[in-house]
Each structure stands twice: as structure tokens, then as C-alpha cells.
């Protein structure tokens, strides 16, 4: 009945309803509701959607969004955001913005005005620009890294994905070494091997992932760490270890060490050799608090009976078949009743999933023939691994990662 009633509404009715929701959420925000800001963003987007005509929505999607993506990537190379913030954010002409790279002022004008139309820059007058809050964010290398990585690693895959799917008869990609990424980039190996061969993109990836995490709830904000990890911790040998499996260059363990000083057991970072090399160059293991260990998670887990094996954004990189191998290697090393696997990953809603999760799902299909998973898909995956079960799923806020606790049956 609700569907039918909405079908019979006029656009005026739909706009009025959406506007009322914006007013309600705005009032809650002004009254100090901590959750109201996110609700206001959602209702404002709904108001925009209802206010646009279908043709306006079409043009926004096929014209504006691709333009915004490419303009942002070129603007990073042209140092437009950084230059705009220079000299105390004084207004800059196209010529002044172009001077940083000796670029054509005409080209800079075309890129800068596109960024301004997408609110990445403010246009104070004809050909005169000043930074806004987003400009200042993008002027920082760790945030510009997000644009570099997402564009350089996925743009070919996205552009060639329709052709790839047509070539497979529209089958869901499941082979991480023969999917959209390999089709588009003429690359025989996994996207990760391509990434390590492209140092700028590789560095941007690690900087972007670390920076993004600082704006989202930590897994230690969701999971009862003191009750589940600190209490009952055995301090001898491998039993004391918290192992970050496939943990990048160690930011998660560094944050954990700062947040949970009560955890006095070993902290072990496991990664492939080239990533451990990057972590070493960043002095991650210099204090000896974090141990660096070269390990491929498709091989047997060398640390036996650890307190916990942590995986952040690891399993979403792989289809189910490979995930079962990764989990199986860890399960064989676990001590039943003591060890756990802690999976920090997205858990998609079955209906009206968060745009962050949906967007990331497409990125993972483009990069690794993998996916984000719903709660039912997580249970199906874990239960397909002999001897493992989910003990609980912990979440905080829409669009963030959750913490999935897995134990031995």
C-alpha cells in the first residue's frame, strides 16, 4: 500500500514530504541530537532527488559525476588545491594557480571552474578562486592520496567493466587473477602485484587507508577488548600475541597499542615482504613493541594459539574460495576456547545499504573480483569453514566497518 500511495503522489507532494523530513532532522540537529547530522545529510539528499526531474538526475549522473572524478584527479597533479590554500588563502587567478606547475592557464581555468562547480573550490569572481573546507582537506597529501589511489587503481577497470562483463555473459566475477582489473590493464597477476609495481599508487593507498580510518569508529570502540582480549591473556610465547594478518604497514597495531596500553602481550604484524619492507622504512618495528614478520596468509599460520588473529579489510579483497583458505590456515593455528579471529570489514544491510558499502562493493569487483558481504553472506562464509562459527557482530554507525568475532566451534 505504501508503494501504491507513493506512486500516486505528485512531485509537489513528494518534495513537500522530503522537505518536512529535512526540517525535522534539522530541528533535531539544532537541539543537539548526536545522530541528527547524518540523518540530515540523508534527508537532504532525498530532497534533492525528489526535487530534480528524471532528466536532471540523468544528466547529473552521466555528465557531472564522471567530470568531477577526472577534474579532481587532474587538479591534484596541477597542485590546484594546495596552491589555492597558499599565501593565507588569498584569492588566486588562473595564472597564479597555473604557476605551480607551469601549466597552461587556459587548461587550469577549465579544471578549476569544474572543481568550483562541484564545490571542491569556491569561485569568488570570474577566474578568481578561494579555498573552502574541502579544498583545504584536499590540499593535504594524505587526503589527496584518496583521489590518486581510487582513480589510478580503478579507472581502467570501471571503463572496461561493461565490455568485460559482456565477454563473460554477465557472470559475477570470482577469479581474482582473471577479472575486470586484468581485462582492463592487460595484467596477468592480482591487482596487488600491479599495485606494488606502481610506487606512487602503492604509497597513496596506504596513506589514504590510514587517514580514512581516523574519521571512522575504531574496532576497539565497538568490541569489548578488555573483556575478550585483556582478561585471561596468557603472557607466555605465542599465546600472548595479537596478530594483525595482512596488516599493511602497521597502523592498526600502532593505534591499538596507544588505545589499549593494558594489552601487554606481543603485537605481531604479518605481511608480504615488500610491505614489511615499507613498514621497516617507516620505522614501525623500531621500538620492538611491534614485531614484523613476513608471511603469506595463503600458507600455514606460523604463530600458534595466539590470543587473536586480526584482519582488517582482508577478506573483502578475496572471493569466498580464497577466503576459506585464509580462514582455514588461521583456524588450524587457533587454541579452541582461547583464540579468536577478529574481522574488521563492512557488513551490508539487506535493504537500503549504505552508499559507502555499495560504492566499496563495486570498487572491490573492479579491483579484485571480490565483494562486500551482507550479514547472511558473512554467516554463510564462516559456517562453510569447518570448525568455525561467528560469536558476534559489533557495529557503530551506518556506513562504517563492523567487527566480526569468529571462534572455534
Amino acid at each position: 500500500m505504501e508503494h501504491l500511495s507513493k506512486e500516486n503522489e505528485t512531485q509537489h507532494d513528494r518534495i513537500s514530504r522530503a522537505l518536512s523530513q529535512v526540517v525535522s532532522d534539522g530541528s533535531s540537529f539544532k537541539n543537539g541530537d548526536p545522530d541528527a547530522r547524518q540523518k540530515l545529510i540523508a534527508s537532504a539528499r532525498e530532497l534533492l532527488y525528489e526535487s530534480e526531474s528524471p532528466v536532471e538526475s540523468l544528466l547529473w549522473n552521466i555528465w557531472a559525476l564522471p567530470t568531477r572524478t577526472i577534474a579532481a584527479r587532474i587538479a591534484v597533479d596541477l597542485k590546484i588545491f594546495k596552491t589555492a590554500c597558499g599565501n593565507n588563502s588569498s584569492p588566486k587567478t588562473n595564472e597564479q594557480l597555473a604557476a605551480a606547475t607551469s601549466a597552461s592557464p587556459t587548461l587550469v581555468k577549465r579544471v578549476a571552474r569544474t572543481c568550483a562547480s562541484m564545490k571542491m573550490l569556491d569561485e569568488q569572481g570570474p577566474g578568481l578562486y578561494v579555498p573552502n573546507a574541502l579544498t583545504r582537506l584536499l590540499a593535504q597529501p594524505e587526503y589527496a592520496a584518496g583521489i590518486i589511489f581510487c582513480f589510478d587503481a580503478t579507472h581502467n577497470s570501471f571503463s572496461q567493466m561493461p565490455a568485460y562483463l559482456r565477454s563473460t555473459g554477465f557472470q559475477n566475477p570470482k577469479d581474482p587473477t582473471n577479472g575486470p582489473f586484468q581485462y582492463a590493464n592487460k595484467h596477468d597477476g592480482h591487482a596487488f602485484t600491479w599495485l606494488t609495481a606502481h610506487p606512487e599508487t602503492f604509497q597513496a593507498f596506504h596513506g589514504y587507508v590510514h587517514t580514512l580510518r581516523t574519521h571512522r569508529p575504531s574496532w576497539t570502540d565497538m568490541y569489548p577488548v578488555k573483556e575478550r582480549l585483556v582478561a585471561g591473556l596468557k603472557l607466555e610465547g605465542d599465546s600472548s600475541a595479537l596478530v594483525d594478518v595482512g596488516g599493511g604497514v602497521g597502523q592498526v597495531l600502532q593505534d591499538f597499542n596507544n588505545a589499549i596500553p593494558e594489552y601487554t602481550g606481543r603485537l605481531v604484524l604479518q605481511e608480504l615482504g615488500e610491505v614489511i619492507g615499507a613498514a621497516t622504512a617507516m620505522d614501525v618495528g623500531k621500538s620492538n613493541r611491534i614485531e614484523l614478520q613476513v608471511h603469506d596468509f595463503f600458507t600455514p599460520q606460523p604463530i600458534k594459539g595466539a590470543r587473536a588473529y586480526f584482519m582488517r579489510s582482508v577478506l573483502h579483497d578475496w572471493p569466498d574460495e580464497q577466503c576459506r583458505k585464509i580462514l582455514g590456515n588461521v583456524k588450524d593455528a587457533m587454541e579452541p576456547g582461547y583464540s579468536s579471529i577478529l574481522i574488521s570489514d563492512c557488513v551490508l544491510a539487506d535493504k537500503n545499504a549504505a552508499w559507502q558499502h555499495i560504492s566499496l562493493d563495486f570498487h572491490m569487483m573492479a579491483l579484485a573480483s571480490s565483494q562486500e558481504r551482507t550479514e547472511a553472506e558473512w554467516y554463510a562464509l564462516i559456517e562453510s569453514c569447518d570448525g568455525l562459527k561467528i560469536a558476534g557482530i559489533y557495529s557503530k554507525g551506518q556506513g562504517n566497518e563492523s567487527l566480526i568475532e569468529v571462534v572455534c566451534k
Side-chain angles (χ1 to χ4, degrees):
M1 293 298 293
E2 180 183 0
H3 173 71
L4 292 176
S5 63
K6 287 184 178 180
E7 284 283 315
N8 294 328
E9 282 183 324
T10 64
Q11 185 183 39
H12 182 276
D13 293 333
R14 295 194 300 273
I15 293 174
S16 297
R17 174 168 46 79
L19 183 59
S20 296
Q21 188 63 52
V22 169
V23 172
S24 176
D25 292 336
S27 177
S28 297
F29 174 75
K30 288 192 292 184
N31 290 331
D33 181 349
D35 299 322
R37 188 182 68 85
Q38 290 294 333
K39 293 178 181 177
L40 181 58
I41 292 172
S43 59
R45 285 182 173 140
E46 184 68 15
L47 174 61
L48 178 62
Y49 169 75
E50 295 294 0
S51 299
E52 287 180 329
S53 71
V55 170
E56 288 169 333
S57 295
L58 172 66
L59 295 182
W60 173 260
N61 281 282
I62 65 174
W63 283 3
L65 295 184
T67 303
R68 176 170 61 182
T69 300
I70 184 64
R73 182 63 184 91
I74 297 171
V76 170
D77 281 345
L78 291 174
K79 299 181 173 59
I80 286 176
F81 304 126
K82 183 178 180 180
T83 304
C85 294
N87 296 325
N88 295 317
S89 300
S90 61
K92 308 290 192 308
T93 64
N94 292 309
E95 288 74 18
Q96 289 171 315
L97 292 177
T101 55
S102 301
S104 159
T106 301
L107 173 65
V108 168
K109 175 184 71 175
R110 299 174 74 178
V111 175
R113 70 188 182 190
T114 302
C115 291
S117 76
M118 300 295 175
K119 308 303 180 185
M120 291 182 281
L121 195 65
D122 284 349
E123 194 168 12
Q124 195 175 70
L128 193 64
Y129 301 94
V130 292
N132 56 33
L134 181 54
T135 314
R136 295 186 182 93
L137 189 79
L138 295 175
Q140 302 174 53
E142 61 270 29
Y143 293 98
I147 294 175
I148 294 171
F149 168 70
C150 289
F151 186 88
D152 291 11
T154 61
H155 75 289
N156 280 342
S157 296
F158 281 148
S159 67
Q160 293 297 315
M161 190 181 290
Y164 166 79
L165 292 174
R166 287 194 296 268
S167 75
T168 69
F170 296 98
Q171 300 303 301
N172 187 50
K174 292 183 179 180
D175 186 343
T177 60
N178 186 21
F181 186 88
Q182 291 74 22
Y183 182 91
N185 291 281
K186 306 298 186 287
H187 179 69
D188 293 332
H190 196 281
F192 293 154
T193 62
W194 178 93
L195 191 61
T196 56
H198 292 76
E200 181 186 13
T201 313
F202 180 79
Q203 184 177 0
F205 168 71
H206 286 290
Y208 152 70
V209 168
H210 172 64
T211 301
L212 183 62
R213 195 179 70 255
T214 65
H215 294 274
R216 293 181 170 182
S218 168
W219 68 278
T220 57
D221 296 331
M222 309 176 205
Y223 182 69
V225 175
K226 294 179 182 179
E227 293 87 344
R228 302 296 182 91
L229 296 184
V230 177
L233 176 65
K234 300 176 183 178
L235 293 177
E236 62 273 10
D238 286 358
S239 296
S240 75
L242 170 63
V243 185
D244 191 356
V245 182
V249 292
Q251 297 100 332
V252 168
L253 286 182
Q254 290 174 318
D255 291 347
F256 178 82
N257 188 44
N258 292 331
I260 313 294
E262 305 93 321
Y263 193 92
T264 55
R266 295 166 58 194
L267 301 178
V268 183
L269 171 66
Q270 292 182 337
E271 257 293 0
L272 297 176
E274 54 266 36
V275 184
I276 290 296
T280 301
M282 297 167 63
D283 293 331
V284 173
K286 188 175 182 179
S287 69
N288 295 323
R289 181 65 185 104
I290 297 175
E291 303 172 32
L292 306 183
Q293 184 177 78
V294 174
H295 174 62
D296 180 345
F297 47 55
F298 287 112
T299 64
Q301 171 58 239
I303 296 183
K304 309 298 182 183
R307 185 56 163 151
Y309 301 88
F310 182 85
M311 300 181 192
R312 180 180 185 266
S313 300
V314 169
L315 298 184
H316 85 149
D317 288 337
W318 301 94
D320 285 358
E321 180 182 352
Q322 285 77 17
C323 286
R324 281 188 283 269
K325 293 177 181 177
I326 296 169
L327 290 166
N329 284 325
V330 176
K331 186 265 175 187
D332 290 343
M334 293 171 69
E335 179 183 332
Y338 177 74
S339 302
S340 60
I341 303 173
L342 303 177
I343 301 168
S344 181
D345 244 317
C346 298
V347 178
L348 274 69
D350 289 321
K351 180 182 178 183
N352 296 327
W355 66 265
Q356 297 95 326
H357 292 172
I358 294 299
S359 300
L360 193 54
D361 180 61
F362 245 68
H363 271 270
M364 298 319 301
M365 178 164 61
L367 280 169
S369 299
S370 57
Q371 66 182 88
E372 303 302 327
R373 295 175 173 88
T374 65
E375 183 173 319
E377 288 168 336
W378 276 115
Y379 270 94
L381 172 61
I382 300 303
E383 289 173 359
S384 71
C385 299
D386 185 42
L388 293 177
K389 67 177 181 179
I390 291 179
I393 298 179
Y394 302 82
S395 303
K396 186 175 183 179
Q398 189 179 45
N400 298 314
E401 296 169 2
S402 298
L403 195 286
I404 306 166
E405 181 184 32
V406 177
V407 298
C408 294
K409 289 182 180 177

